[in-house]
Amino acid sequence: MTASPKVQERIDALRELLHHHAHQYYVLDAPELPDAEYDKLFRELQELEARHPELLVPDSPTQRVGGAVLEGFAKVRHKVPMLSIRTETDIEATGARNFDGRVRRELGLVEGAEPIEYVAELKFDGLAISLRYERGTLVQAATRGDGEVGEDVTQNIRTVGQIPLRLHGKDVPPVLEVRGEVYMRRDDFERMNEQQRQKIAQGAKNEKTFVNPRNAAAGAVRQLDPAIARQRPLSFFAYGWGEIDGGPAFGTHFELLQALRRWGMPVSADTRVCKGADELVAFHQEIGARRDQLPYDIDGVVYKVNSLALQKRLGFVTREPRWAVAHKFPAQEQLTTVVDIGIQVGRTGKLTPVAKLEPVFVGGVTVTNATLHNEDEARRKDVRIGDTVIVRRAGDVIPEVVAVVPDKRVKGAEPFTMPHRCPVCGSEAVREEGEADYRCTGGLFCGAQRKQAILHFAQRRAMDVEGLGEKLVDQLVEAGVVKTLPDLYRLGLANLVALDRMGEKSAQNLLAGLEQSKTTTLPRFLYGLGIRHVGEATARDLARHFGGLDAIMDASAERLLEVPDVGPIVAESIHTFFAQPHNREVVEQLRACGLHWEEGEPAAQAPKPLAGKTVVLTGTLPTLGRDEAKDLLEAAGAKVAGSVSKKTSYVVAGAEAGSKLDKAQELGVPVLDEDGLRKLLAG
């Protein structure tokens, strides 16, 4: 049957797409498609070529394994090709049963024959590597490349601590090529990305964060500078071999893996022998359940016929061994479109930008929302409405936007900007210095924070309202009976007995508890308001310093700084809270409901000998720790700065003082030792 022009056009288009994306993935380490999307295009091309074999050409992506050799690395021709294996994408048990059925048919086994023995392994998400050992010494490391020719990355691989430079054991073959995967652990990846974010925040140029551990590992291995590769935390697992010359004879795949482990190679502890399809299915299900608890990324499992003799009988077809298959898990990354960007307000007032998505099936569920975390992350990824994005979901982890596909951006898409008003209550949203998140300041009024505000207010160390627990608060809020804190004191018996599982006696007890809570203390009331950064100790200090609530509510940030142990962040938080009309209104209504406490005279102001002075600490002092010295200086009214300038009043220098001391001497700033500091504090 002759193919129509439309079929020819589709085949050409698919080949062009797959060549492009293979180049992005293997050569540039900058993938534009999730694996699942690439696999879908690849399968479509395979099916078209199977139906129209006359259109098959030698350079089709289906006839080769991977990407080209990157310029800058020497080429290495593999003595034994590094071939890919067939992929089963069925996420259920049929993937394992299909493979077992194919193997049995190829071997001509009749129904009822002994089950075939397999080796089941994890399918690591990293970069395939071939390690060549001669007389036990590592002499060469090469990437897969196109399966026939790879790149010489020996110097970079030598920096990976898990890869032995010399194998041990008297029976190590004179020539041994170990095949395995270089990968990056999730905790190492997160730690490295956090370091990258800090560099970017400090203004470093040409720095970036990495999309996922696989890209980070691949980029490290294929660095032209081994010094850079050495800084990347890479790991390795062996799972196969290429050329072997000499050494002991082996009958099974698993025996050889055990020998690799014995000779010093890391082999996954999750590699095991399985008999028949049922045990393969059980392995797939077990690993799938544990997938998100593993310390590294995997995207499936691999089944291999254990007997080397049977592997030889089964042989290869085109680009794949008949004796092995990869059985994938549900894709954890997929492509979709951002239809809107909304703001979610959490129970503590945290504002989180959320991408509203075209529904997409990823990680085993349909996803419609994905977190953008905070303003910095949203800007760094530059996510805009209308963008095509890669969405990731792993297990129970909240779906997130990993990256934007820039080539698919719609014209006129506007950059995202964080709102400065809470979308729920309209209160001001502020971002404190050193914080990544914006927070709503309408804590006593905001509907999103209602339950949290009530529970905090009613707790034992605050207003101590007996009987007002989480389940009851849920009912009161969801029924619309309580919207703000004063509504608690307006509750009647009828309101309460109408609730589920609320008897008249329990309702009367709650009303009595509310009435009793009206007589309190100013520190308890302040703490109960839930002002960010104001704990019980700070509430006591505020009450002692100002004497009354009105003075605290009207105090400027500068006046608040006069309170012992209140620093700039806490002072600003208190000032911002009481600057919100909503919060002041709630306080006044609570007073009107009968809440009262004794107030006293403001504490006498102690003289502060270092008020208006700026001090810099450097080096190690003989008896005072850095934090202790800072606390003493701030208590005396000084501002403790992190760098020396012309405005610096004093530099306190201890042992091993660094560049700050040099700068002070250069500018003529007075330099004190610990004794000088103590005299300064004594006035």
Side-chain angles (χ1 to χ4, degrees), residues 94-141:
T94 51
R97 299 196 189 283
N98 289 343
F99 172 61
D100 180 62
R102 282 198 304 272
V103 170
R104 294 175 72 83
R105 284 194 300 274
E106 292 283 350
L107 294 174
L109 297 179
V110 297
E111 192 172 341
E114 279 291 310
I116 295 173
E117 194 171 77
Y118 298 99
V119 172
E121 306 170 348
L122 306 186
K123 187 177 183 297
F124 305 104
D125 200 7
L127 185 71
I129 291 290
S130 180
L131 308 172
R132 185 176 179 85
Y133 289 85
E134 295 180 359
R135 295 181 178 82
T137 300
L138 178 66
V139 296
Q140 190 177 68

Tab-separated table of all heavy atoms in Angstrom, residues 94-141:
chain	number	residue	atom	x	y	z
A	94	THR	N	0.102	-5.194	32.855
A	94	THR	CA	0.224	-5.774	31.514
A	94	THR	C	1.598	-5.542	30.899
A	94	THR	O	2.024	-6.307	30.043
A	94	THR	CB	-0.866	-5.204	30.584
A	94	THR	OG1	-0.850	-3.774	30.674
A	94	THR	CG2	-2.232	-5.719	30.959
A	95	GLY	N	2.289	-4.467	31.316
A	95	GLY	CA	3.627	-4.217	30.757
A	95	GLY	C	4.564	-5.374	31.020
A	95	GLY	O	5.277	-5.839	30.127
A	96	ALA	N	4.558	-5.881	32.260
A	96	ALA	CA	5.414	-7.015	32.615
A	96	ALA	C	4.922	-8.294	31.931
A	96	ALA	O	5.722	-9.097	31.431
A	96	ALA	CB	5.432	-7.201	34.130
A	97	ARG	N	3.618	-8.494	31.892
A	97	ARG	CA	3.077	-9.728	31.291
A	97	ARG	C	3.305	-9.746	29.775
A	97	ARG	O	3.572	-10.810	29.207
A	97	ARG	CB	1.593	-9.849	31.618
A	97	ARG	CG	1.331	-9.940	33.126
A	97	ARG	CD	-0.065	-10.430	33.430
A	97	ARG	NE	-0.355	-10.307	34.861
A	97	ARG	CZ	0.105	-11.146	35.787
A	97	ARG	NH1	0.881	-12.155	35.440
A	97	ARG	NH2	-0.195	-10.966	37.059
A	98	ASN	N	3.203	-8.588	29.130
A	98	ASN	CA	3.471	-8.528	27.694
A	98	ASN	C	4.899	-8.950	27.386
A	98	ASN	O	5.157	-9.715	26.448
A	98	ASN	CB	3.237	-7.111	27.159
A	98	ASN	CG	1.778	-6.736	27.115
A	98	ASN	OD1	0.902	-7.609	27.182
A	98	ASN	ND2	1.502	-5.445	26.992
A	99	PHE	N	5.843	-8.439	28.187
A	99	PHE	CA	7.254	-8.772	27.968
A	99	PHE	C	7.497	-10.264	28.187
A	99	PHE	O	8.126	-10.935	27.369
A	99	PHE	CB	8.126	-7.941	28.916
A	99	PHE	CG	9.582	-8.328	28.914
A	99	PHE	CD1	10.340	-8.245	27.755
A	99	PHE	CD2	10.194	-8.800	30.070
A	99	PHE	CE1	11.685	-8.609	27.748
A	99	PHE	CE2	11.525	-9.163	30.076
A	99	PHE	CZ	12.275	-9.072	28.908
A	100	ASP	N	6.988	-10.792	29.284
A	100	ASP	CA	7.158	-12.222	29.564
A	100	ASP	C	6.556	-13.066	28.438
A	100	ASP	O	7.167	-14.060	28.005
A	100	ASP	CB	6.489	-12.561	30.898
A	100	ASP	CG	6.626	-14.037	31.261
A	100	ASP	OD1	7.774	-14.500	31.424
A	100	ASP	OD2	5.593	-14.716	31.372
A	101	GLY	N	5.390	-12.660	27.944
A	101	GLY	CA	4.763	-13.407	26.854
A	101	GLY	C	5.603	-13.392	25.590
A	101	GLY	O	5.752	-14.421	24.914
A	102	ARG	N	6.186	-12.233	25.252
A	102	ARG	CA	7.029	-12.129	24.050
A	102	ARG	C	8.258	-13.026	24.177
A	102	ARG	O	8.637	-13.723	23.237
A	102	ARG	CB	7.469	-10.674	23.830
A	102	ARG	CG	6.423	-9.781	23.222
A	102	ARG	CD	7.042	-8.524	22.632
A	102	ARG	NE	7.836	-7.781	23.602
A	102	ARG	CZ	7.352	-6.857	24.422
A	102	ARG	NH1	6.056	-6.585	24.405
A	102	ARG	NH2	8.137	-6.216	25.253
A	103	VAL	N	8.899	-12.973	25.356
A	103	VAL	CA	10.110	-13.784	25.560
A	103	VAL	C	9.783	-15.272	25.408
A	103	VAL	O	10.508	-16.026	24.753
A	103	VAL	CB	10.721	-13.488	26.948
A	103	VAL	CG1	11.818	-14.493	27.279
A	103	VAL	CG2	11.295	-12.069	26.988
A	104	ARG	N	8.698	-15.698	26.008
A	104	ARG	CA	8.327	-17.121	25.942
A	104	ARG	C	8.030	-17.540	24.503
A	104	ARG	O	8.396	-18.645	24.082
A	104	ARG	CB	7.121	-17.378	26.861
A	104	ARG	CG	7.442	-17.172	28.338
A	104	ARG	CD	6.200	-17.323	29.211
A	104	ARG	NE	5.798	-18.729	29.271
A	104	ARG	CZ	6.329	-19.622	30.093
A	104	ARG	NH1	7.286	-19.276	30.928
A	104	ARG	NH2	5.916	-20.867	30.093
A	105	ARG	N	7.372	-16.670	23.750
A	105	ARG	CA	7.086	-17.008	22.348
A	105	ARG	C	8.375	-17.090	21.541
A	105	ARG	O	8.547	-18.004	20.724
A	105	ARG	CB	6.158	-15.945	21.738
A	105	ARG	CG	4.706	-16.067	22.190
A	105	ARG	CD	3.780	-15.230	21.324
A	105	ARG	NE	4.113	-13.808	21.360
A	105	ARG	CZ	3.659	-12.956	22.288
A	105	ARG	NH1	2.861	-13.391	23.253
A	105	ARG	NH2	3.989	-11.692	22.234
A	106	GLU	N	9.283	-16.147	21.751
A	106	GLU	CA	10.552	-16.147	21.017
A	106	GLU	C	11.360	-17.411	21.319
A	106	GLU	O	12.050	-17.955	20.450
A	106	GLU	CB	11.389	-14.922	21.390
A	106	GLU	CG	10.821	-13.591	20.926
A	106	GLU	CD	11.057	-13.339	19.442
A	106	GLU	OE1	11.823	-14.095	18.821
A	106	GLU	OE2	10.453	-12.394	18.912
A	107	LEU	N	11.255	-17.876	22.555
A	107	LEU	CA	12.005	-19.082	22.945
A	107	LEU	C	11.238	-20.363	22.639
A	107	LEU	O	11.760	-21.471	22.849
A	107	LEU	CB	12.334	-19.025	24.440
A	107	LEU	CG	13.310	-17.918	24.878
A	107	LEU	CD1	13.429	-17.878	26.393
A	107	LEU	CD2	14.681	-18.127	24.237
A	108	GLY	N	10.005	-20.230	22.159
A	108	GLY	CA	9.205	-21.406	21.810
A	108	GLY	C	8.767	-22.220	23.001
A	108	GLY	O	8.619	-23.447	22.903
A	109	LEU	N	8.549	-21.565	24.134
A	109	LEU	CA	8.136	-22.286	25.345
A	109	LEU	C	6.625	-22.522	25.324
A	109	LEU	O	5.847	-21.615	25.035
A	109	LEU	CB	8.495	-21.488	26.594
A	109	LEU	CG	10.002	-21.251	26.821
A	109	LEU	CD1	10.223	-20.423	28.069
A	109	LEU	CD2	10.750	-22.568	26.921
A	110	VAL	N	6.227	-23.723	25.638
A	110	VAL	CA	4.811	-24.075	25.639
A	110	VAL	C	4.183	-23.659	26.952
A	110	VAL	O	4.860	-23.440	27.967
A	110	VAL	CB	4.607	-25.601	25.429
A	110	VAL	CG1	5.135	-26.025	24.077
A	110	VAL	CG2	5.259	-26.388	26.553
A	111	GLU	N	2.869	-23.509	26.949
A	111	GLU	CA	2.148	-23.135	28.160
A	111	GLU	C	2.361	-24.200	29.231
A	111	GLU	O	2.327	-25.398	28.963
A	111	GLU	CB	0.653	-23.013	27.840
A	111	GLU	CG	-0.125	-22.350	28.965
A	111	GLU	CD	-1.559	-22.057	28.560
A	111	GLU	OE1	-1.840	-22.021	27.343
A	111	GLU	OE2	-2.371	-21.874	29.473
A	112	GLY	N	2.619	-23.756	30.442
A	112	GLY	CA	2.855	-24.666	31.541
A	112	GLY	C	4.321	-24.948	31.791
A	112	GLY	O	4.669	-25.623	32.769
A	113	ALA	N	5.202	-24.455	30.918
A	113	ALA	CA	6.645	-24.651	31.108
A	113	ALA	C	7.118	-23.842	32.324
A	113	ALA	O	6.434	-22.946	32.804
A	113	ALA	CB	7.407	-24.215	29.862
A	114	GLU	N	8.304	-24.185	32.826
A	114	GLU	CA	8.873	-23.487	33.981
A	114	GLU	C	8.933	-21.979	33.725
A	114	GLU	O	9.243	-21.549	32.608
A	114	GLU	CB	10.293	-23.994	34.245
A	114	GLU	CG	10.349	-25.297	35.024
A	114	GLU	CD	9.903	-25.122	36.466
A	114	GLU	OE1	10.398	-24.203	37.150
A	114	GLU	OE2	9.010	-25.880	36.899
A	115	PRO	N	8.641	-21.149	34.750
A	115	PRO	CA	8.733	-19.699	34.549
A	115	PRO	C	10.169	-19.274	34.263
A	115	PRO	O	11.127	-19.872	34.769
A	115	PRO	CB	8.233	-19.121	35.873
A	115	PRO	CG	8.367	-20.207	36.870
A	115	PRO	CD	8.183	-21.497	36.115
A	116	ILE	N	10.309	-18.240	33.458
A	116	ILE	CA	11.632	-17.716	33.112
A	116	ILE	C	12.152	-16.867	34.275
A	116	ILE	O	11.399	-16.155	34.934
A	116	ILE	CB	11.548	-16.880	31.822
A	116	ILE	CG1	11.161	-17.779	30.643
A	116	ILE	CG2	12.871	-16.171	31.535
A	116	ILE	CD1	10.881	-17.031	29.378
A	117	GLU	N	13.438	-16.941	34.479
A	117	GLU	CA	14.071	-16.154	35.544
A	117	GLU	C	14.564	-14.827	34.957
A	117	GLU	O	15.234	-14.800	33.925
A	117	GLU	CB	15.243	-16.937	36.138
A	117	GLU	CG	15.744	-16.369	37.449
A	117	GLU	CD	16.755	-17.280	38.109
A	117	GLU	OE1	17.919	-17.303	37.658
A	117	GLU	OE2	16.368	-17.989	39.063
A	118	TYR	N	14.212	-13.740	35.630
A	118	TYR	CA	14.597	-12.396	35.177
A	118	TYR	C	15.400	-11.682	36.270
A	118	TYR	O	15.341	-12.043	37.444
A	118	TYR	CB	13.354	-11.555	34.877
A	118	TYR	CG	12.481	-12.101	33.770
A	118	TYR	CD1	11.331	-12.834	34.065
A	118	TYR	CD2	12.801	-11.879	32.440
A	118	TYR	CE1	10.523	-13.337	33.061
A	118	TYR	CE2	11.996	-12.380	31.412
A	118	TYR	CZ	10.865	-13.111	31.731
A	118	TYR	OH	10.069	-13.614	30.727
A	119	VAL	N	16.104	-10.645	35.862
A	119	VAL	CA	16.680	-9.682	36.802
A	119	VAL	C	15.859	-8.407	36.679
A	119	VAL	O	15.663	-7.886	35.579
A	119	VAL	CB	18.157	-9.388	36.504
A	119	VAL	CG1	18.659	-8.231	37.375
A	119	VAL	CG2	19.007	-10.615	36.745
A	120	ALA	N	15.356	-7.910	37.795
A	120	ALA	CA	14.577	-6.673	37.816
A	120	ALA	C	15.425	-5.573	38.461
A	120	ALA	O	16.017	-5.779	39.522
A	120	ALA	CB	13.282	-6.869	38.597
A	121	GLU	N	15.487	-4.415	37.790
A	121	GLU	CA	16.340	-3.312	38.235
A	121	GLU	C	15.552	-2.005	38.210
A	121	GLU	O	14.473	-1.930	37.619
A	121	GLU	CB	17.554	-3.164	37.300
A	121	GLU	CG	18.360	-4.417	37.109
A	121	GLU	CD	19.390	-4.285	35.983
A	121	GLU	OE1	19.330	-3.310	35.203
A	121	GLU	OE2	20.238	-5.171	35.892
A	122	LEU	N	16.119	-0.980	38.803
A	122	LEU	CA	15.550	0.362	38.712
A	122	LEU	C	16.016	1.033	37.428
A	122	LEU	O	17.142	0.820	36.978
A	122	LEU	CB	15.976	1.213	39.909
A	122	LEU	CG	15.701	0.648	41.305
A	122	LEU	CD1	16.055	1.687	42.366
A	122	LEU	CD2	14.260	0.216	41.449
A	123	LYS	N	15.151	1.855	36.849
A	123	LYS	CA	15.521	2.635	35.657
A	123	LYS	C	15.886	4.041	36.124
A	123	LYS	O	15.035	4.894	36.324
A	123	LYS	CB	14.374	2.676	34.656
A	123	LYS	CG	14.743	3.326	33.329
A	123	LYS	CD	13.584	3.270	32.343
A	123	LYS	CE	14.007	3.852	30.994
A	123	LYS	NZ	14.369	5.274	31.072
A	124	PHE	N	17.164	4.247	36.323
A	124	PHE	CA	17.650	5.515	36.868
A	124	PHE	C	17.498	6.639	35.848
A	124	PHE	O	17.633	6.435	34.651
A	124	PHE	CB	19.124	5.388	37.278
A	124	PHE	CG	19.375	4.262	38.234
A	124	PHE	CD1	19.958	3.084	37.804
A	124	PHE	CD2	19.001	4.367	39.555
A	124	PHE	CE1	20.167	2.031	38.667
A	124	PHE	CE2	19.208	3.325	40.438
A	124	PHE	CZ	19.791	2.152	39.988
A	125	ASP	N	17.258	7.855	36.373
A	125	ASP	CA	17.084	9.018	35.511
A	125	ASP	C	18.356	9.857	35.576
A	125	ASP	O	18.467	10.803	36.352
A	125	ASP	CB	15.871	9.830	35.975
A	125	ASP	CG	15.347	10.743	34.882
A	125	ASP	OD1	15.836	10.657	33.746
A	125	ASP	OD2	14.445	11.542	35.166
A	126	GLY	N	19.342	9.448	34.791
A	126	GLY	CA	20.622	10.147	34.779
A	126	GLY	C	21.250	10.103	33.403
A	126	GLY	O	20.554	10.238	32.395
A	127	LEU	N	22.552	9.873	33.346
A	127	LEU	CA	23.296	9.834	32.087
A	127	LEU	C	24.046	8.508	31.997
A	127	LEU	O	24.817	8.169	32.898
A	127	LEU	CB	24.291	11.002	32.023
A	127	LEU	CG	25.064	11.153	30.712
A	127	LEU	CD1	24.136	11.633	29.593
A	127	LEU	CD2	26.226	12.119	30.876
A	128	ALA	N	23.810	7.767	30.904
A	128	ALA	CA	24.468	6.470	30.730
A	128	ALA	C	25.957	6.667	30.444
A	128	ALA	O	26.345	7.528	29.655
A	128	ALA	CB	23.812	5.708	29.583
A	129	ILE	N	26.776	5.835	31.077
A	129	ILE	CA	28.235	5.951	30.972
A	129	ILE	C	28.837	4.560	30.802
A	129	ILE	O	28.364	3.583	31.387
A	129	ILE	CB	28.831	6.601	32.246
A	129	ILE	CG1	28.427	8.080	32.332
A	129	ILE	CG2	30.339	6.482	32.308
A	129	ILE	CD1	29.094	8.973	31.302
A	130	SER	N	29.892	4.482	30.012
A	130	SER	CA	30.684	3.255	29.882
A	130	SER	C	32.063	3.501	30.480
A	130	SER	O	32.755	4.457	30.101
A	130	SER	CB	30.816	2.851	28.411
A	130	SER	OG	31.574	1.658	28.298
A	131	LEU	N	32.460	2.652	31.426
A	131	LEU	CA	33.753	2.783	32.109
A	131	LEU	C	34.654	1.637	31.670
A	131	LEU	O	34.304	0.472	31.863
A	131	LEU	CB	33.554	2.736	33.629
A	131	LEU	CG	32.521	3.695	34.227
A	131	LEU	CD1	32.323	3.379	35.708
A	131	LEU	CD2	32.949	5.141	34.035
A	132	ARG	N	35.789	1.943	31.107
A	132	ARG	CA	36.710	0.904	30.634
A	132	ARG	C	37.855	0.731	31.630
A	132	ARG	O	38.576	1.693	31.951
A	132	ARG	CB	37.269	1.255	29.259
A	132	ARG	CG	38.149	0.141	28.659
A	132	ARG	CD	38.606	0.492	27.258
A	132	ARG	NE	39.462	-0.543	26.681
A	132	ARG	CZ	39.032	-1.625	26.045
A	132	ARG	NH1	37.721	-1.805	25.894
A	132	ARG	NH2	39.875	-2.519	25.557
A	133	TYR	N	37.993	-0.493	32.135
A	133	TYR	CA	39.074	-0.837	33.065
A	133	TYR	C	40.026	-1.806	32.369
A	133	TYR	O	39.585	-2.783	31.752
A	133	TYR	CB	38.506	-1.491	34.329
A	133	TYR	CG	37.763	-0.535	35.224
A	133	TYR	CD1	36.415	-0.245	35.001
A	133	TYR	CD2	38.404	0.083	36.293
A	133	TYR	CE1	35.725	0.630	35.826
A	133	TYR	CE2	37.721	0.962	37.125
A	133	TYR	CZ	36.390	1.238	36.886
A	133	TYR	OH	35.713	2.107	37.705
A	134	GLU	N	41.309	-1.528	32.445
A	134	GLU	CA	42.342	-2.428	31.932
A	134	GLU	C	43.258	-2.792	33.083
A	134	GLU	O	43.774	-1.900	33.767
A	134	GLU	CB	43.115	-1.769	30.788
A	134	GLU	CG	42.236	-1.504	29.568
A	134	GLU	CD	42.999	-0.859	28.417
A	134	GLU	OE1	44.220	-0.591	28.579
A	134	GLU	OE2	42.390	-0.613	27.361
A	135	ARG	N	43.350	-4.132	33.311
A	135	ARG	CA	44.095	-4.649	34.466
A	135	ARG	C	43.624	-4.003	35.771
A	135	ARG	O	44.414	-3.687	36.660
A	135	ARG	CB	45.599	-4.461	34.273
A	135	ARG	CG	46.154	-5.278	33.102
A	135	ARG	CD	47.663	-5.099	32.947
A	135	ARG	NE	48.160	-5.923	31.869
A	135	ARG	CZ	48.092	-5.576	30.567
A	135	ARG	NH1	47.570	-4.413	30.225
A	135	ARG	NH2	48.565	-6.386	29.623
A	136	GLY	N	42.325	-3.744	35.840
A	136	GLY	CA	41.715	-3.222	37.057
A	136	GLY	C	41.755	-1.729	37.235
A	136	GLY	O	41.210	-1.210	38.203
A	137	THR	N	42.387	-1.003	36.306
A	137	THR	CA	42.522	0.449	36.438
A	137	THR	C	41.619	1.162	35.435
A	137	THR	O	41.553	0.782	34.267
A	137	THR	CB	43.982	0.880	36.194
A	137	THR	OG1	44.826	0.230	37.161
A	137	THR	CG2	44.144	2.382	36.317
A	138	LEU	N	40.936	2.198	35.898
A	138	LEU	CA	40.075	2.984	35.018
A	138	LEU	C	40.933	3.742	34.009
A	138	LEU	O	41.775	4.554	34.395
A	138	LEU	CB	39.242	3.976	35.836
A	138	LEU	CG	38.321	4.913	35.033
A	138	LEU	CD1	37.218	4.117	34.333
A	138	LEU	CD2	37.713	5.979	35.935
A	139	VAL	N	40.726	3.459	32.734
A	139	VAL	CA	41.529	4.121	31.704
A	139	VAL	C	40.698	5.032	30.815
A	139	VAL	O	41.250	5.917	30.153
A	139	VAL	CB	42.267	3.089	30.820
A	139	VAL	CG1	43.268	2.293	31.633
A	139	VAL	CG2	41.289	2.166	30.099
A	140	GLN	N	39.376	4.821	30.804
A	140	GLN	CA	38.547	5.649	29.924
A	140	GLN	C	37.086	5.610	30.376
A	140	GLN	O	36.595	4.594	30.856
A	140	GLN	CB	38.638	5.147	28.484
A	140	GLN	CG	38.004	6.076	27.451
A	140	GLN	CD	38.213	5.530	26.053
A	140	GLN	OE1	37.656	4.505	25.678
A	140	GLN	NE2	39.053	6.196	25.273
A	141	ALA	N	36.415	6.753	30.223
A	141	ALA	CA	34.966	6.844	30.467
A	141	ALA	C	34.348	7.548	29.279
A	141	ALA	O	34.891	8.552	28.796
A	141	ALA	CB	34.680	7.607	31.753
